[in-house]
């Protein structure tokens, strides 16, 4: 199946943002944005779970209580993510790299499932990782699944409301092309946030 022309620029943007975040997480270099390679080490477990300020939301062992102002730990398995059923608390809590990467990987994996999979997965099924290597692998798996889902659509699917039935957003009410745009926006802004926290962690060590 050929890629719908309207999807091509969004797919290129996704690929660019995905590689940029993957490089930022693992190194050995990342493009500075002007073509210059900047050396960057692979993220450590300590950095992954680092709380830059008090009362962060993060991922925690399922046997622990939710973090400050969180009411539940979402997911399955040994590690789960702090959450509060919508609407979220105001002001929103600061979140760790672990939280942001878990959230991002989950939305990629679940949207892929609700676009071209079983259409059954929920947040309660998702397994967060307690270590950096596992989280990076989960991000790659989610991004790969979402890209495959994108390649499964034709031009008419892009205008179909509810083509993605992802239950934790407005997907059932949105044309699919709007969902694709939104996922790119999530990847871009969370990727930038994660990069900034990595910079702060490196400066802290100095």
């Amino acid at each position: 199946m050929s890629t719908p022309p309207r999807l091509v620029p969004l797919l290129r943007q996704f690929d660019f943002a995905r590689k940029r975040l993957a490089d930022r997480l693992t190194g050995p270099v990342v493009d500075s944005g002007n073509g210059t390679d900047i050396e960057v080490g692979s993220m450590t477990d300590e950095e992954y779970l680092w709380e830059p300020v008090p009362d962060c939301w993060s991922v925690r062992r399922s046997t622990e209580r939710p973090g400050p102002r969180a009411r539940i730990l979402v997911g399955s398995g040994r590690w789960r993510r702090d959450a509060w059923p919508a609407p979220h608390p105001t002001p929103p809590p600061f979140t760790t790299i672990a939280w942001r990467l878990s959230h991002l990987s989950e939305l990629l994996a679940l949207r892929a499932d609700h676009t071209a999979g079983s259409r059954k997965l929920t947040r309660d099924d998702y397994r967060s990782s307690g270590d950096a290597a596992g989280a990076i692998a989960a991000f790659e798996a989610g991004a790969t699944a979402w890209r495959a889902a994108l390649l499964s659509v034709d031009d008419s699917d892009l205008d179909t409301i509810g083509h993605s039935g992802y239950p934790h957003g407005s997907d059932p009410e949105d044309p699919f092309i709007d969902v694709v745009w939104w996922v790119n926006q999530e990847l871009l802004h969370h990727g930038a946030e994660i990069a900034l926290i990595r910079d702060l962690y490196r400066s802290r060590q100095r």
Side-chain angles (χ1 to χ4, degrees):
M1 179 188 299
S2 60
T3 304
R6 290 183 293 161
L7 183 58
V8 170
L10 291 170
L11 192 60
R12 288 175 178 165
Q13 184 183 55
F14 175 81
D15 289 342
F16 171 82
R18 173 189 180 177
K19 184 179 187 306
R20 191 170 180 83
L21 177 53
D23 289 348
R24 196 66 175 79
L25 291 170
T26 63
V29 297
V30 64
D31 187 338
S32 66
N34 63 6
T36 302
D37 285 339
I38 303 297
E39 291 186 7
V40 58
S42 186
M43 181 172 60
T44 65
D45 292 347
E46 179 183 359
E47 181 181 7
Y48 172 66
L49 293 167
W50 179 53
E51 298 191 9
V53 298
D55 300 337
C56 285
W57 277 12
S58 192
V59 298
R60 306 180 190 279
R61 291 179 177 86
S62 59
T63 54
E64 297 179 23
R65 294 174 59 86
R69 294 197 294 151
R71 286 191 174 179
I72 58 174
L73 295 174
V74 295
S76 65
R78 291 169 43 187
W79 292 82
R80 304 183 185 186
R81 191 173 70 249
D82 285 325
W84 178 303
H88 299 304
T90 302
F94 193 93
T95 55
T96 63
I97 292 177
W99 193 100
R100 293 167 202 249
L101 198 53
S102 170
H103 163 68
L104 183 57
S105 302
E106 177 203 272
L107 74 84
L108 290 167
L110 265 60
R111 278 194 165 95
D113 177 72
H114 282 273
T115 300
S118 71
R119 296 179 177 258
K120 294 180 180 178
L121 296 181
T122 71
R123 286 176 178 161
D124 291 336
D125 299 306
Y126 188 77
R127 290 176 174 265
S128 293
S129 176
D131 63 87
I136 292 168
F139 168 68
E140 285 296 336
T144 297
W146 175 242
R147 195 180 195 285
L150 292 179
L151 295 179
S152 75
V153 304
D154 59 27
D155 193 68
S156 65
D157 293 331
L158 296 177
D159 296 318
T160 300
I161 294 174
H163 185 73
S164 165
Y166 176 71
H168 306 297
S170 61
D171 300 35
E173 291 82 43
D174 290 340
F176 187 64
I177 195 166
D178 289 357
V179 175
V180 178
W181 175 88
W182 177 257
V183 171
N184 281 9
Q185 181 272 149
E186 286 280 287
L187 177 55
L188 287 161
H189 93 258
H190 285 306
E193 291 167 346
I194 290 167
L196 176 59
I197 296 173
R198 290 214 71 190
D199 288 343
L200 291 172
Y201 183 82
R202 185 180 67 248
S203 297
R204 165 185 172 273
Q205 288 183 314
R206 289 175 181 171

